[in-house]
Protein backbone atom coordinates (compact mmCIF):
# COMPACT_ATOMS: atom_id res chain seq x y z
CA UNK A 1 0.00 0.00 0.00
CA UNK A 2 1.35 3.44 -0.91
CA UNK A 3 0.01 6.79 0.27
CA UNK A 4 1.45 9.92 -1.32
CA UNK A 5 -0.53 12.94 -0.20
CA UNK A 6 1.49 14.09 2.82
CA UNK A 7 3.39 17.35 3.06
CA UNK A 8 5.37 15.95 5.96
CA UNK A 9 5.53 12.78 8.05
CA UNK A 10 6.83 12.94 11.62
CA UNK A 11 8.10 9.71 13.19
CA UNK A 12 7.40 9.88 16.92
CA UNK A 13 4.54 11.48 18.82
CA UNK A 14 6.25 12.89 21.90
CA UNK A 15 6.75 16.57 22.62
CA UNK A 16 9.54 17.02 20.08
CA UNK A 17 7.47 15.37 17.35
CA UNK A 18 4.41 17.42 18.26
CA UNK A 19 6.49 20.61 18.11
CA UNK A 20 7.75 19.67 14.65
CA UNK A 21 4.29 18.85 13.34
CA UNK A 22 2.76 22.04 14.74
CA UNK A 23 5.58 24.15 13.31
CA UNK A 24 5.12 22.50 9.91
CA UNK A 25 1.43 23.40 9.90
CA UNK A 26 2.16 26.90 11.12
CA UNK A 27 4.64 27.30 8.26
CA UNK A 28 2.11 26.25 5.62
CA UNK A 29 1.96 22.46 5.45
CA UNK A 30 -1.59 21.20 5.04
CA UNK A 31 -1.40 17.43 5.38
CA UNK A 32 0.91 16.51 8.25
CA UNK A 33 0.97 13.03 9.75
CA UNK A 34 2.56 11.70 12.93
CA UNK A 35 3.25 7.96 13.06
CA UNK A 36 3.72 6.63 16.58
CA UNK A 37 4.93 3.16 17.53
CA UNK A 38 3.14 3.17 20.87
CA UNK A 39 -0.60 2.67 21.41
CA UNK A 40 -2.76 5.62 22.36
CA UNK A 41 -2.55 4.56 26.03
CA UNK A 42 1.16 5.43 25.87
CA UNK A 43 0.78 8.79 24.14
CA UNK A 44 3.50 11.37 24.68
CA UNK A 45 6.79 9.50 24.56
CA UNK A 46 9.26 10.40 27.29
CA UNK A 47 7.80 13.89 27.60
CA UNK A 48 4.82 12.46 29.44
CA UNK A 49 7.09 11.16 32.21
CA UNK A 50 8.96 14.41 32.83
CA UNK A 51 8.35 17.08 35.44
CA UNK A 52 7.51 19.40 32.53
CA UNK A 53 10.45 21.69 33.34
CA UNK A 54 11.96 24.00 30.70
CA UNK A 55 15.38 25.61 30.96
CA UNK A 56 15.45 28.88 29.04
CA UNK A 57 17.31 32.14 28.76
CA UNK A 58 15.39 34.90 30.54
CA UNK A 59 15.79 38.30 32.11
CA UNK A 60 14.49 37.41 35.54
CA UNK A 61 11.02 37.39 37.04
CA UNK A 62 9.52 40.26 34.97
CA UNK A 63 10.48 38.44 31.77
CA UNK A 64 8.64 35.27 32.81
CA UNK A 65 5.45 36.69 34.29
CA UNK A 66 3.83 37.10 30.87
CA UNK A 67 3.87 33.36 30.18
CA UNK A 68 3.08 31.83 33.59
CA UNK A 69 -0.36 31.29 35.05
CA UNK A 70 0.21 30.79 38.77
CA UNK A 71 1.57 34.12 40.02
CA UNK A 72 -0.54 36.99 41.29
CA UNK A 73 0.83 40.56 41.46
CA UNK A 74 0.97 40.19 45.24
CA UNK A 75 2.95 36.95 45.02
CA UNK A 76 5.36 38.47 42.53
CA UNK A 77 6.54 40.91 45.16
CA UNK A 78 7.98 38.02 47.19
CA UNK A 79 9.78 36.04 44.48
CA UNK A 80 13.49 36.13 43.66
CA UNK A 81 14.58 34.78 40.25
CA UNK A 82 17.99 35.79 38.97
CA UNK A 83 18.31 36.43 35.21
CA UNK A 84 19.69 33.48 33.26
CA UNK A 85 21.77 34.63 30.32
CA UNK A 86 22.91 33.03 27.09
CA UNK A 87 26.38 32.72 28.57
CA UNK A 88 24.96 31.08 31.71
CA UNK A 89 23.00 28.51 29.72
CA UNK A 90 25.77 27.71 27.23
CA UNK A 91 28.28 27.61 30.07
CA UNK A 92 26.23 25.09 32.03
CA UNK A 93 25.98 22.64 29.15
CA UNK A 94 29.61 23.01 28.12
CA UNK A 95 30.94 22.80 31.68
CA UNK A 96 28.98 19.68 32.55
CA UNK A 97 29.97 18.15 29.21
CA UNK A 98 33.69 18.84 29.67
CA UNK A 99 33.50 21.19 26.64
CA UNK A 100 32.79 18.24 24.34
CA UNK A 101 29.29 19.19 23.07
CA UNK A 102 29.04 20.85 19.66
CA UNK A 103 29.33 24.53 20.61
CA UNK A 104 27.37 25.78 17.59
CA UNK A 105 24.55 23.30 18.20
CA UNK A 106 24.41 24.24 21.87
CA UNK A 107 24.39 27.97 21.21
CA UNK A 108 21.68 27.59 18.58
CA UNK A 109 19.47 25.79 21.06
CA UNK A 110 20.16 28.31 23.79
CA UNK A 111 19.63 31.43 21.66
CA UNK A 112 16.27 30.10 20.49
CA UNK A 113 15.11 28.87 23.90
CA UNK A 114 13.22 31.96 25.07
CA UNK A 115 11.34 32.30 21.78
CA UNK A 116 10.53 28.59 21.93
CA UNK A 117 8.80 28.77 25.31
CA UNK A 118 6.96 31.92 24.23
CA UNK A 119 5.70 30.02 21.19
CA UNK A 120 4.58 27.12 23.35
CA UNK A 121 2.73 29.45 25.68
CA UNK A 122 1.02 31.48 22.97
CA UNK A 123 0.64 29.16 19.97
CA UNK A 124 0.34 25.77 21.68
CA UNK A 125 -1.39 27.00 24.84
CA UNK A 126 1.01 25.19 27.16
CA UNK A 127 0.05 26.11 30.75
CA UNK A 128 3.38 27.29 32.12
CA UNK A 129 3.89 28.05 35.78
CA UNK A 130 6.71 28.98 38.10
CA UNK A 131 8.05 25.78 39.62
CA UNK A 132 7.73 26.64 43.31
CA UNK A 133 7.42 22.95 44.25
CA UNK A 134 10.67 21.88 42.57
CA UNK A 135 12.93 24.88 42.09
CA UNK A 136 12.40 27.23 45.03
CA UNK A 137 12.83 27.35 48.79
CA UNK A 138 11.25 29.88 51.11
CA UNK A 139 14.01 32.04 52.56
CA UNK A 140 13.10 34.91 54.87
CA UNK A 141 9.53 34.95 53.67
CA UNK A 142 10.55 35.06 50.01
CA UNK A 143 10.52 32.33 47.36
CA UNK A 144 14.10 32.02 46.14
CA UNK A 145 14.66 30.07 42.91
CA UNK A 146 17.90 28.19 42.27
CA UNK A 147 19.72 26.09 39.69
CA UNK A 148 18.92 28.15 36.59
CA UNK A 149 15.39 26.77 36.17
CA UNK A 150 12.10 28.44 37.03
CA UNK A 151 9.57 27.25 34.43
CA UNK A 152 7.51 24.09 34.45
CA UNK A 153 4.08 23.04 33.22
CA UNK A 154 0.92 22.57 35.24
CA UNK A 155 0.59 18.82 35.91
CA UNK A 156 4.13 18.27 34.64
CA UNK A 157 4.68 16.12 31.58
CA UNK A 158 1.08 14.99 31.63
CA UNK A 159 -0.07 18.59 31.30
CA UNK A 160 2.44 19.25 28.54
CA UNK A 161 1.34 16.29 26.44
CA UNK A 162 -2.31 17.16 27.01
CA UNK A 163 -1.64 20.63 25.59
CA UNK A 164 0.36 19.18 22.68
CA UNK A 165 -2.40 16.76 21.72
CA UNK A 166 -5.09 19.43 21.92
CA UNK A 167 -3.01 21.69 19.68
CA UNK A 168 -2.40 18.88 17.17
CA UNK A 169 -6.12 18.17 16.99
CA UNK A 170 -6.89 21.84 16.48
CA UNK A 171 -4.25 22.07 13.74
CA UNK A 172 -5.68 19.05 11.91
CA UNK A 173 -2.61 16.85 12.39
CA UNK A 174 -3.41 13.15 12.25
CA UNK A 175 -1.69 10.76 14.64
CA UNK A 176 -1.51 7.09 13.76
CA UNK A 177 -0.84 5.07 16.90
CA UNK A 178 0.52 1.51 16.85
CA UNK A 179 2.25 2.38 13.59
CA UNK A 180 6.00 1.80 13.90
CA UNK A 181 8.32 3.14 11.23
CA UNK A 182 10.25 0.31 9.59
CA UNK A 183 12.64 2.01 7.17
CA UNK A 184 13.17 5.22 5.28
CA UNK A 185 12.59 5.44 1.54
CA UNK A 186 15.81 6.67 -0.04
CA UNK A 187 15.99 7.70 -3.69
CA UNK A 188 19.35 8.90 -5.00
CA UNK A 189 20.42 10.06 -1.55
CA UNK A 190 17.17 11.86 -0.78
CA UNK A 191 14.57 10.86 1.80
CA UNK A 192 11.24 10.67 -0.02
CA UNK A 193 9.15 8.72 2.41
CA UNK A 194 8.96 6.14 5.16
CA UNK A 195 7.70 2.58 5.33
CA UNK A 196 5.51 1.87 8.34
CA UNK A 197 3.69 -1.14 9.69
CA UNK A 198 -0.02 -0.42 10.06
CA UNK A 199 -2.82 -2.88 10.76
CA UNK A 200 -0.47 -5.80 10.27
CA UNK A 201 0.98 -4.84 6.91
CA UNK A 202 3.54 -2.48 5.52
CA UNK A 203 2.58 0.84 3.97
CA UNK A 204 4.81 3.28 2.10
CA UNK A 205 4.15 6.88 3.03
CA UNK A 206 5.48 9.38 0.51
CA UNK A 207 6.31 12.94 1.55
CA UNK A 208 8.86 15.64 0.66
CA UNK A 209 10.13 15.50 4.24
CA UNK A 210 10.46 12.99 7.05
CA UNK A 211 11.15 14.26 10.58
CA UNK A 212 12.63 11.74 12.99
CA UNK A 213 11.54 12.40 16.58
CA UNK A 214 11.44 8.88 17.98
CA UNK A 215 13.99 9.06 20.77
CA UNK A 216 17.09 7.08 21.61
CA UNK A 217 17.66 3.48 22.66
CA UNK A 218 17.32 3.57 26.45
CA UNK A 219 14.44 1.05 26.50
CA UNK A 220 16.50 -1.61 24.73
CA UNK A 221 18.53 -3.67 27.19
CA UNK A 222 20.50 -5.10 24.27
CA UNK A 223 21.52 -1.67 22.94
CA UNK A 224 22.25 -0.37 26.43
CA UNK A 225 24.70 -3.21 26.94
CA UNK A 226 26.20 -2.68 23.47
CA UNK A 227 26.80 1.05 23.85
CA UNK A 228 26.81 1.85 27.57
CA UNK A 229 28.44 -1.38 28.71
CA UNK A 230 27.90 -4.41 30.89
CA UNK A 231 25.56 -3.89 33.82
CA UNK A 232 23.26 -1.46 32.06
CA UNK A 233 20.74 -4.23 31.50
CA UNK A 234 19.89 -3.69 35.20
CA UNK A 235 18.88 -0.05 34.75
CA UNK A 236 15.21 0.81 35.27
CA UNK A 237 13.48 2.51 32.33
CA UNK A 238 11.97 5.74 33.64
CA UNK A 239 9.76 6.52 30.63
CA UNK A 240 8.34 4.97 27.50
CA UNK A 241 9.27 1.36 26.73
CA UNK A 242 9.08 2.12 23.00
CA UNK A 243 12.36 4.01 22.58
CA UNK A 244 14.47 1.15 21.28
CA UNK A 245 16.76 2.87 18.77
CA UNK A 246 14.54 2.55 15.70
CA UNK A 247 15.33 6.02 14.39
CA UNK A 248 19.06 5.49 14.77
CA UNK A 249 18.96 2.30 12.73
CA UNK A 250 16.74 3.76 10.01
CA UNK A 251 18.88 6.87 9.64
CA UNK A 252 22.12 4.94 9.65
CA UNK A 253 20.78 2.76 6.84
CA UNK A 254 20.53 5.81 4.57
CA UNK A 255 23.98 7.11 5.43
CA UNK A 256 23.30 9.40 8.40
CA UNK A 257 26.23 10.34 10.59
CA UNK A 258 26.21 9.17 14.21
CA UNK A 259 27.72 11.59 16.72
CA UNK A 260 27.85 12.36 20.41
CA UNK A 261 28.50 10.51 23.63
CA UNK A 262 27.65 6.88 22.96
CA UNK A 263 28.90 5.92 26.40
CA UNK A 264 26.66 8.49 28.08
CA UNK A 265 23.08 8.85 29.15
CA UNK A 266 20.75 10.71 31.49
CA UNK A 267 20.24 8.48 34.53
CA UNK A 268 18.87 9.36 37.95
CA UNK A 269 18.15 8.08 41.44
CA UNK A 270 15.04 5.96 40.96
CA UNK A 271 12.82 3.96 43.27
CA UNK A 272 14.42 0.50 43.56
CA UNK A 273 11.09 -1.22 44.15
CA UNK A 274 9.24 -0.36 40.94
CA UNK A 275 8.82 -2.09 37.59
CA UNK A 276 12.10 -2.13 35.67
CA UNK A 277 11.13 -2.05 32.00
CA UNK A 278 8.89 1.01 31.71
CA UNK A 279 7.69 4.05 33.58
CA UNK A 280 4.42 4.23 35.46
CA UNK A 281 1.70 6.24 33.68
CA UNK A 282 0.08 7.28 36.96
CA UNK A 283 3.03 8.24 39.18
CA UNK A 284 5.51 8.85 36.32
CA UNK A 285 8.21 11.26 37.54
CA UNK A 286 7.27 10.77 41.19
CA UNK A 287 9.53 7.72 41.30
CA UNK A 288 12.51 10.05 40.95
CA UNK A 289 14.30 10.40 44.27
CA UNK A 290 16.12 13.73 44.12
CA UNK A 291 16.43 14.53 47.84
CA UNK A 292 20.00 13.30 48.18
CA UNK A 293 21.54 16.83 48.60
CA UNK A 294 19.63 17.02 51.89
CA UNK A 295 21.20 13.84 53.24
CA UNK A 296 23.70 11.18 52.21
CA UNK A 297 23.76 8.09 49.98
CA UNK A 298 25.43 4.81 50.91
CA UNK A 299 25.89 1.55 49.04
CA UNK A 300 25.08 -1.90 50.39
CA UNK A 301 28.46 -1.92 52.16
CA UNK A 302 27.45 1.19 54.09
CA UNK A 303 29.90 3.46 52.28
CA UNK A 304 29.25 6.86 50.71
CA UNK A 305 30.24 7.03 47.03
CA UNK A 306 29.20 10.47 45.68
CA UNK A 307 29.49 14.08 46.79
CA UNK A 308 25.81 14.70 47.49
CA UNK A 309 26.44 18.44 47.77
CA UNK A 310 28.73 18.91 44.78
CA UNK A 311 26.27 21.29 43.14
CA UNK A 312 22.56 22.00 42.88
CA UNK A 313 20.50 18.91 42.16
CA UNK A 314 19.85 20.20 38.60
CA UNK A 315 23.52 19.74 37.80
CA UNK A 316 24.17 16.37 39.44
CA UNK A 317 20.98 14.28 39.29
CA UNK A 318 21.46 13.09 35.69
CA UNK A 319 24.73 11.33 36.59
CA UNK A 320 23.65 9.84 39.91
CA UNK A 321 22.00 6.85 38.28
CA UNK A 322 25.28 5.78 36.72
CA UNK A 323 27.02 6.16 40.08
CA UNK A 324 24.42 3.94 41.76
CA UNK A 325 24.56 1.34 39.01
CA UNK A 326 28.34 1.04 39.50
CA UNK A 327 27.90 0.07 43.15
CA UNK A 328 27.66 -3.54 44.36
CA UNK A 329 24.36 -5.05 43.18
CA UNK A 330 23.44 -1.71 41.58
CA UNK A 331 21.45 -0.06 44.33
CA UNK A 332 21.93 2.27 47.28
CA UNK A 333 20.17 3.95 50.21
CA UNK A 334 19.38 7.62 50.74
CA UNK A 335 19.48 8.60 54.42
CA UNK A 336 18.20 11.65 56.37
CA UNK A 337 17.33 12.66 59.90
CA UNK A 338 14.31 14.54 61.24
CA UNK A 339 15.80 17.96 60.52
CA UNK A 340 15.85 17.39 56.76
CA UNK A 341 12.85 15.18 56.07
CA UNK A 342 10.40 18.14 56.09
CA UNK A 343 12.24 19.50 53.04
CA UNK A 344 11.80 16.34 50.95
CA UNK A 345 9.31 16.78 48.13
CA UNK A 346 6.03 15.08 49.00
CA UNK A 347 5.41 14.03 45.40
CA UNK A 348 8.61 11.92 45.52
CA UNK A 349 8.73 10.86 49.18
CA UNK A 350 5.07 10.71 50.20
CA UNK A 351 3.85 7.73 52.21
CA UNK A 352 1.79 6.55 49.24
CA UNK A 353 4.69 6.89 46.77
CA UNK A 354 7.75 5.19 48.24
CA UNK A 355 8.56 2.48 50.77
CA UNK A 356 10.15 4.16 53.78
CA UNK A 357 12.45 2.76 56.44
CA UNK A 358 11.80 4.85 59.56
CA UNK A 359 13.35 4.23 62.99
CA UNK A 360 14.04 5.97 66.28
CA UNK A 361 17.80 5.28 66.31
CA UNK A 362 20.64 4.95 63.82
CA UNK A 363 21.37 1.43 65.11
CA UNK A 364 17.80 0.39 64.46
CA UNK A 365 17.96 2.02 61.03
CA UNK A 366 20.98 -0.16 60.21
CA UNK A 367 19.05 -3.25 61.27
CA UNK A 368 16.05 -2.34 59.14
CA UNK A 369 18.23 -1.43 56.14
CA UNK A 370 19.87 -4.86 56.45
CA UNK A 371 16.44 -6.38 55.84
CA UNK A 372 16.39 -4.43 52.54
CA UNK A 373 19.89 -5.36 51.37
CA UNK A 374 22.46 -3.50 53.52
CA UNK A 375 25.16 -6.08 54.12
CA UNK A 376 27.61 -4.25 56.40
CA UNK A 377 25.80 -2.62 59.31
CA UNK A 378 29.00 -1.86 61.20
CA UNK A 379 30.49 0.01 58.24
CA UNK A 380 27.27 2.01 57.85
CA UNK A 381 27.38 3.07 61.49
CA UNK A 382 31.03 4.09 61.12
CA UNK A 383 30.13 6.07 58.01
CA UNK A 384 27.46 8.00 59.90
CA UNK A 385 29.83 8.61 62.83
CA UNK A 386 32.68 9.81 60.62
CA UNK A 387 30.35 11.98 58.57
CA UNK A 388 28.86 13.63 61.65
CA UNK A 389 32.32 14.24 63.09
CA UNK A 390 33.53 15.82 59.86
CA UNK A 391 30.47 18.06 59.71
CA UNK A 392 31.01 19.21 63.29
CA UNK A 393 34.70 19.97 62.75
CA UNK A 394 33.96 22.03 59.67
CA UNK A 395 31.36 24.02 61.59
CA UNK A 396 33.83 24.74 64.39
CA UNK A 397 36.15 26.31 61.83
CA UNK A 398 33.33 28.13 60.00
CA UNK A 399 30.87 29.31 62.67
CA UNK A 400 29.36 32.03 60.46
CA UNK A 401 28.07 29.61 57.81
CA UNK A 402 24.38 28.73 57.88
CA UNK A 403 22.44 26.00 56.11
CA UNK A 404 20.78 27.56 53.04
CA UNK A 405 19.27 25.17 50.49
CA UNK A 406 18.70 27.79 47.76
CA UNK A 407 22.41 28.66 47.50
CA UNK A 408 25.62 26.67 47.66
CA UNK A 409 26.12 27.33 51.35
CA UNK A 410 29.65 25.96 51.78
CA UNK A 411 28.73 23.69 54.69
CA UNK A 412 30.98 20.72 54.05
CA UNK A 413 32.81 17.78 55.55
CA UNK A 414 36.28 19.12 54.83
CA UNK A 415 38.31 20.96 57.48
CA UNK A 416 41.90 21.32 58.62
CA UNK A 417 41.41 18.60 61.23
CA UNK A 418 39.27 16.08 59.33
CA UNK A 419 38.41 15.56 55.67
CA UNK A 420 36.46 12.67 54.19
CA UNK A 421 37.71 10.74 51.19
CA UNK A 422 34.33 11.39 49.55
CA UNK A 423 33.44 14.95 50.53
CA UNK A 424 30.08 16.56 50.83
CA UNK A 425 30.75 20.07 49.58
CA UNK A 426 27.52 21.87 50.46
CA UNK A 427 24.49 21.39 52.70
CA UNK A 428 26.39 19.04 55.03
CA UNK A 429 24.40 18.81 58.24
CA UNK A 430 24.60 16.17 60.98
CA UNK A 431 22.45 13.07 60.80
CA UNK A 432 21.73 12.82 64.51
CA UNK A 433 18.08 13.60 65.23
CA UNK A 434 15.36 10.94 65.33
CA UNK A 435 13.33 9.77 63.61
CA UNK A 436 15.68 8.63 60.87
CA UNK A 437 14.62 7.80 57.32
CA UNK A 438 16.13 5.65 54.57
CA UNK A 439 14.87 4.94 51.06
CA UNK A 440 16.24 2.33 48.67
CA UNK A 441 17.18 3.61 45.20
CA UNK A 442 18.46 2.22 41.91
CA UNK A 443 19.46 3.61 38.51
CA UNK A 444 16.66 4.98 36.37
CA UNK A 445 17.66 5.67 32.76
CA UNK A 446 15.90 8.55 31.01
CA UNK A 447 17.50 8.91 27.59
CA UNK A 448 20.77 8.29 25.77
CA UNK A 449 23.22 10.96 24.57
CA UNK A 450 24.52 9.42 21.33
CA UNK A 451 22.46 10.28 18.25
CA UNK A 452 22.34 11.81 14.79
CA UNK A 453 24.34 14.74 13.46
CA UNK A 454 22.16 17.65 12.38
CA UNK A 455 22.62 21.07 10.83
CA UNK A 456 22.02 23.44 13.76
CA UNK A 457 20.24 26.00 11.56
CA UNK A 458 17.78 23.63 9.88
CA UNK A 459 17.71 20.43 12.00
CA UNK A 460 18.49 18.60 8.77
CA UNK A 461 20.21 15.24 9.26
CA UNK A 462 23.81 15.15 8.04
CA UNK A 463 25.41 12.33 6.09
CA UNK A 464 28.69 10.64 6.94
CA UNK A 465 30.29 13.15 4.58
CA UNK A 466 28.82 16.01 6.59
CA UNK A 467 26.29 17.11 3.99
CA UNK A 468 22.52 17.41 4.62
CA UNK A 469 20.44 14.44 3.52
CA UNK A 470 17.64 16.16 1.55
CA UNK A 471 14.22 15.54 3.05
CA UNK A 472 15.42 14.15 6.40
CA UNK A 473 15.19 16.11 9.65
CA UNK A 474 15.63 15.24 13.32
CA UNK A 475 14.66 16.59 16.73
CA UNK A 476 14.33 15.48 20.34
CA UNK A 477 16.45 12.91 22.13
CA UNK A 478 17.61 11.50 18.79
CA UNK A 479 19.86 14.53 18.26
CA UNK A 480 23.50 13.82 19.14
CA UNK A 481 26.31 16.11 20.29
CA UNK A 482 24.24 18.21 22.72
CA UNK A 483 25.29 16.51 25.96
CA UNK A 484 28.31 14.58 27.18
CA UNK A 485 28.67 12.75 30.50
CA UNK A 486 26.18 14.97 32.32
CA UNK A 487 23.19 17.21 31.69
CA UNK A 488 21.74 20.41 33.18
CA UNK A 489 18.18 19.64 34.23
CA UNK A 490 15.29 20.79 32.01
CA UNK A 491 17.21 21.10 28.73
CA UNK A 492 15.55 18.22 26.90
CA UNK A 493 12.07 19.63 26.37
CA UNK A 494 13.56 22.96 25.35
CA UNK A 495 15.87 21.37 22.78
CA UNK A 496 13.03 19.27 21.38
CA UNK A 497 10.97 22.40 20.88
CA UNK A 498 13.76 24.46 19.30
CA UNK A 499 14.86 21.86 16.77
CA UNK A 500 11.30 20.64 16.24
CA UNK A 501 10.34 24.13 15.10
CA UNK A 502 13.35 24.26 12.78
CA UNK A 503 12.51 20.86 11.33
CA UNK A 504 8.88 21.86 10.76
CA UNK A 505 9.93 25.03 8.98
CA UNK A 506 12.36 23.08 6.83
CA UNK A 507 9.66 20.58 5.92
CA UNK A 508 7.31 23.38 4.88
CA UNK A 509 9.99 24.88 2.62
CA UNK A 510 10.51 21.52 0.92
CA UNK A 511 6.77 21.21 0.42
CA UNK A 512 6.81 24.54 -1.37
CA UNK A 513 4.87 26.36 1.30
Amino acid sequence: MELTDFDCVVVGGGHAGASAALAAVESGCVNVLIVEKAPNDWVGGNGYFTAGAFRTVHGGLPDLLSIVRNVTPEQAQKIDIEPYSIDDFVGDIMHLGDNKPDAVLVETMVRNSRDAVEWLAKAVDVPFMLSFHRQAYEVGGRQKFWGGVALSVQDGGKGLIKADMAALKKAGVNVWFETPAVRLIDECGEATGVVVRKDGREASLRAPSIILACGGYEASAELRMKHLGAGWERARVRGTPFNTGDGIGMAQAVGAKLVGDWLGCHSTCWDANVFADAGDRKLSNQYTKSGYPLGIMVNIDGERFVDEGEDFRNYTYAKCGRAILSQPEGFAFQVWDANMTPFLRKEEYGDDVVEKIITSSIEELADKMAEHGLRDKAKFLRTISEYNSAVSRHRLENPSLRWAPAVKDGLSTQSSTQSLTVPKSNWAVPIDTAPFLAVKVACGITFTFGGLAIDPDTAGVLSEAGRPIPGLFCTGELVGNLYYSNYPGACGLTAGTVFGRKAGLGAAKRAGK
Side-chain angles (χ1 to χ4, degrees):
M1 180 173 65
E2 183 169 301
L3 301 174
T4 60
D5 56 346
F6 299 105
D7 290 332
C8 168
V9 177
V10 179
V11 180
H15 174 68
S19 295
L22 291 168
V25 172
E26 183 180 73
S27 301
C29 289
V30 176
N31 196 350
V32 176
L33 172 69
I34 294 176
V35 293
E36 169 55 54
K37 180 180 181 181
N40 190 23
D41 289 347
W42 283 84
V43 64
N46 268 349
Y48 180 93
F49 295 91
T50 69
F54 282 76
R55 183 176 291 264
T56 179
V57 170
H58 63 80
L61 178 62
D63 187 26
L64 298 176
L65 287 177
S66 65
I67 61 173
V68 299
R69 304 183 183 183
N70 67 329
V71 180
T72 65
E74 293 74 23
Q75 287 175 313
Q77 301 302 312
K78 297 182 179 181
I79 297 172
D80 295 323
I81 301 177
E82 295 293 326
Y84 191 65
S85 69
I86 290 172
D87 288 345
D88 291 334
F89 197 165
V90 171
D92 281 342
I93 294 178
M94 299 304 289
H95 170 68
L96 293 188
D98 296 324
N99 289 316
K100 293 179 181 179
D102 184 310
V104 176
L105 188 68
V106 170
E107 185 162 342
T108 299
M109 187 267 278
V110 168
R111 286 188 178 277
N112 287 275
S113 62
R114 181 62 181 82
D115 187 54
V117 296
E118 184 83 18
W119 176 75
L120 288 173
K122 300 298 192 289
V124 187
D125 199 28
V126 170
F128 282 113
M129 66 178 190
L130 290 186
S131 186
F132 295 107
H133 63 306
R134 292 181 60 85
Q135 291 297 146
Y137 286 107
E138 185 174 336
V139 180
R142 301 183 63 80
Q143 290 289 329
K144 185 174 180 62
F145 281 77
W146 49 270
V149 178
L151 280 184
S152 63
V153 178
Q154 293 176 10
D155 202 22
K158 297 176 184 178
L160 174 64
I161 298 305
K162 181 179 179 180
D164 283 343
M165 296 308 293
L168 290 171
K169 182 177 181 180
K170 184 177 180 181
V173 175
N174 288 316
V175 182
W176 290 358
F177 291 99
E178 298 182 79
T179 307
V182 176
R183 60 186 175 275
L184 294 168
I185 299 173
D186 174 62
E187 297 179 346
C188 301
E190 182 173 346
T192 59
V194 61
V195 177
V196 301
R197 187 175 298 108
K198 182 172 175 59
D199 299 326
R201 58 177 180 163
E202 290 190 354
S204 298
L205 310 180
R206 295 280 180 169
S209 298
I210 305 299
I211 301 175
L212 297 176
C214 46
Y217 59 85
E218 70 279 353
S220 167
E222 179 182 354
L223 290 180
R224 292 200 306 269
M225 292 176 66
K226 176 181 177 181
H227 295 296
L228 302 179
W232 279 94
E233 70 278 6
R234 297 182 297 174
R236 272 75 167 167
V237 177
R238 293 182 62 202
T240 177
F242 296 96
N243 283 4
T244 53
D246 302 354
I248 295 170
M250 288 189 295
Q252 193 173 19
V254 298
K257 184 178 183 179
L258 304 184
V259 294
D261 181 8
W262 286 84
L263 297 175
C265 65
H266 179 302
S267 59
T268 71
C269 303
W270 195 246
D271 193 320
N273 297 308
V274 300
F275 184 62
D277 296 327
D280 183 282
R281 297 289 290 184
K282 180 181 178 181
L283 292 179
S284 64
N285 194 58
Q286 290 179 256
Y287 285 135
T288 299
K289 298 292 169 270
S290 60
Y292 58 89
L294 301 172
I296 64 171
M297 284 201 292
V298 298
N299 60 22
I300 63 174
D301 292 323
E303 299 174 323
R304 291 177 56 249
F305 55 94
V306 295
D307 181 347
E308 303 91 347
E310 175 189 355
D311 207 333
F312 291 117
R313 179 259 304 161
N314 287 359
Y315 301 122
T316 61
Y317 82 116
K319 65 178 182 177
C320 277
R322 177 183 292 272
I324 293 170
L325 194 67
S326 70
Q327 299 306 302
E329 297 188 19
F331 68 84
F333 295 93
Q334 297 177 343
V335 179
W336 309 267
D337 77 352
N339 293 314
M340 290 295 107
T341 51
F343 295 94
L344 296 174
R345 296 213 299 268
K346 299 298 187 292
E347 62 266 34
E348 295 181 8
Y349 294 97
D351 292 342
D352 58 343
V353 176
V354 66
E355 183 179 0
K356 297 179 178 181
I357 306 170
I358 302 174
T359 65
S360 58
S361 73
I362 281 291
E363 291 76 16
E364 185 183 0
L365 188 70
D367 290 337
K368 291 292 186 182
M369 288 167 61
E371 296 175 9
H372 291 78
L374 179 70
R375 64 186 183 189
D376 194 331
K377 294 189 294 183
K379 176 61 72 64
F380 170 69
L381 294 174
R382 286 197 300 273
T383 293
I384 294 292
S385 177
E386 291 170 0
Y387 170 81
N388 285 342
S389 174
V391 169
S392 297
R393 289 172 182 261
H394 179 269
R395 286 200 168 185
L396 285 173
E397 292 184 2
N398 299 274
S400 64
L401 294 182
R402 296 291 182 270
W403 183 75
V407 297
K408 289 191 278 188
D409 62 10
L411 287 177
S412 84
T413 55
Q414 312 303 94
S415 67
S416 63
T417 58
Q418 183 179 2
S419 292
L420 300 183
T421 303
V422 179
K424 184 173 183 182
S425 300
N426 293 283
W427 312 296
V429 293
I431 299 175
D432 59 6
T433 304
F436 300 93
L437 169 65
V439 166
K440 188 175 180 179
V441 291
C443 169
I445 186 168
T446 314
F447 69 93
T448 44
F449 291 162
L452 305 183
I454 65 168
D455 181 328
D457 292 329
T458 66
V461 175
L462 301 180
S463 69
E464 286 284 2
R467 293 187 292 270
I469 298 175
L472 189 60
F473 300 87
C474 175
T475 185
E477 295 168 356
L478 191 49
V479 173
N481 253 353
L482 265 178
Y483 320 110
Y484 276 77
S485 304
N486 198 3
Y487 162 96
C491 288
L493 294 175
T494 304
T497 308
V498 167
F499 293 115
R501 294 181 76 195
K502 289 180 176 294
L505 175 61
K509 288 180 178 178
R510 282 188 55 83
K513 306 300 181 181

